[in-house]
Amino acid sequence: LLSCRLYCEEAKDPKRRSCQTVLAEALDIVVRSFAPILPHLAEEVFQYIPYKKGSEGVFRTGWINASSAWKKPGIEEAIEGACAMRDSFLGSISGKNALEYEVIIIIEPGLLFELMEALQAEETSSVSQLNEIMMASQTTLLSELPKETPSDANIVKGTFLINLEGGDICEQSSYKVIARPIAKAKCPRCRRYTAESSSTPCPRCLQVLAAGKGST
């Protein structure tokens, strides 16, 4: 997830910038957390942070002050639900390369489906947050089993308990995960199997490369 956003997206792409923001916030909190017991190490790390030039130091800039904007309702449950489905997917392919597969997730209409839609608005995507979490080359989110599903398809079933508003909203939802070998070629740039041929970058990478040429 981190490597794809940092090294494959355009430099100013919101996905890449948001990833950098999260890493910067995490580093700031970790350094301030261990500062009382490892003061010299914390100060050294703080002084080498490139975007804090001219800083007064870790001990003169206050304690941890995480913004309330990070606590967005439903996001934690959405990520936990997606991770549960990812575990089901990875378990079904027995240690094989997840990028060589596409994932189909089937969830009946309800709260869990809505949470997954927040991570992937499109029915099928190779660049959504949900697909990044799944670690596959492509993810499809459906509300019912596709009619063309083979009778011998390996369908993994699971359940996930959603707990929102301190327990005021509680719902147990079931899901199904199907892993299928993807038919596309491996992109030489992002290494995902989303290209039409192994010698040509995928559509996402072609767009990023074109944008880079246009800005030079």
Side-chain angles (χ1 to χ4, degrees):
L1 173 56
L2 294 180
S3 60
C4 185
R5 287 195 176 196
L6 289 174
Y7 302 116
C8 295
E9 299 291 354
E10 188 182 354
K12 296 183 179 180
D13 188 281
K15 288 184 179 180
R16 185 175 184 274
R17 295 301 300 272
S18 66
C19 184
Q20 290 176 312
T21 299
V22 170
L23 290 173
E25 185 75 8
L27 176 61
D28 187 86
I29 291 175
V30 170
V31 173
R32 294 183 193 277
S33 296
F34 67 66
I37 56 175
L38 295 170
H40 299 292
L41 176 60
E43 186 63 34
E44 184 176 3
V45 172
F46 205 78
Q47 293 300 326
Y48 274 93
I49 296 177
Y51 47 85
K52 289 187 179 292
K53 292 181 179 179
S55 173
E56 295 181 350
V58 67
F59 293 101
R60 295 191 178 187
T61 52
W63 185 236
I64 297 170
N65 186 25
S67 172
S68 59
W70 294 102
K71 297 182 179 180
K72 191 173 182 181
I75 289 297
E76 182 179 353
E77 288 73 19
I79 299 298
E80 288 180 350
C83 288
M85 296 174 198
R86 179 190 63 194
D87 291 344
S88 297
F89 159 56
L90 295 177
S92 71
I93 61 174
S94 303
K96 297 178 182 177
N97 184 1
L99 290 174
E100 296 179 358
Y101 290 83
E102 62 174 321
V103 186
I104 301 174
I105 301 173
I106 303 99
I107 310 171
E108 293 184 359
L111 186 54
L112 182 59
F113 188 86
E114 293 175 5
L115 290 175
M116 292 306 105
E117 279 190 316
L119 300 176
Q120 178 170 303
E122 310 89 349
E123 183 176 284
T124 299
S125 178
S126 61
V127 296
S128 68
Q129 295 181 72
L130 179 59
N131 186 67
E132 289 177 337
I133 294 171
M134 297 302 294
M135 299 168 60
S137 280
Q138 179 174 288
T139 297
T140 299
L141 179 62
L142 301 173
S143 58
E144 59 182 13
L145 196 68
K147 294 181 180 179
E148 66 275 11
T149 302
S151 57
D152 59 346
N154 183 17
I155 302 176
V156 180
K157 299 179 181 180
T159 60
F160 181 73
L161 179 63
I162 301 170
N163 197 333
L164 292 171
E165 304 295 336
D168 292 339
I169 302 176
C170 192
E171 180 179 301
Q172 179 142 348
S173 302
S174 59
Y175 62 83
K176 298 175 183 176
V177 174
I178 304 175
R180 299 193 308 199
I182 197 161
K184 294 186 178 181
K186 186 178 183 179
C187 173
R189 182 174 180 271
C190 69
R191 321 303 290 176
R192 287 183 175 178
Y193 289 76
T194 51
E196 296 302 321
S197 73
S198 58
S199 60
T200 305
C202 66
R204 188 275 299 272
C205 287
L206 286 173
Q207 184 177 354
V208 172
L209 291 170
K213 290 180 180 179
S215 61
T216 56

